[in-house]
Amino acid sequence: MSSVNRPLSPHLQIYKPQLTSVLSITHRGTGVFLSIGALFLACWLLAVAGGPGTYAFVQGYIQAWYGQVLLYAWLFSLYFHLCNGIRHLCWDLGLGLDLKTTYISGYTVIISSTLLTLITVC
């Protein structure tokens, strides 16, 4: 076997990210982020059970600007993961597998998860 000096596929310097690959990676990332958020939810519930002092301590972090940013990010992650999960369920049923419908459903996931986040926040 001759050794050919060529890059492994896909070569990241020439690979152009597509909507489907970006949404797939984002779906995995939001799943991890939601898992971390579940730990923080458990901490918040323990603070509620711990009494007024513990609750006030945790609420101080949640009401700070960084706590609000994390809450909004978790909320967006929840809606994105939900909408993209519904999209994947449709694919499992054999619906929307052609390229045009795949891109339409991808943009629909982005728009709907953003709108749902904004509706919940406002």
Side-chain angles (χ1 to χ4, degrees):
M1 232 164 105
S2 66
S3 68
V4 179
N5 190 12
R6 61 179 172 216
L8 298 175
S9 178
H11 189 47
L12 294 178
Q13 294 161 337
I14 60 172
Y15 180 75
K16 180 184 174 201
Q18 301 168 345
L19 179 66
T20 52
S21 63
V22 170
L23 291 180
S24 176
I25 293 167
T26 306
H27 186 76
R28 295 165 199 261
T30 56
V32 171
F33 197 60
L34 287 172
S35 299
I36 295 168
L39 294 174
F40 283 106
L41 175 63
C43 289
W44 181 79
L45 289 172
L46 287 172
V48 169
T54 310
Y55 178 74
F57 178 75
V58 172
Q59 277 298 108
Y61 285 108
I62 292 174
Q63 291 174 349
W65 68 269
Y66 50 86
Q68 292 294 302
V69 168
L70 286 175
L71 282 175
Y72 296 151
W74 284 319
L75 188 61
F76 175 79
S77 295
L78 177 69
Y79 285 132
F80 180 85
H81 206 75
L82 173 71
C83 294
N84 206 37
I86 293 170
R87 178 179 180 226
H88 278 269
L89 285 174
C90 291
W91 286 352
D92 289 342
L93 294 173
L95 304 172
L97 294 174
D98 60 294
L99 191 58
K100 182 179 178 183
T101 308
T102 301
Y103 273 85
I104 290 171
S105 65
Y107 287 119
T108 303
V109 164
I110 294 169
I111 292 168
S112 62
S113 56
T114 303
L115 285 176
L116 287 169
T117 302
L118 291 174
I119 288 169
T120 304
V121 169
C122 297

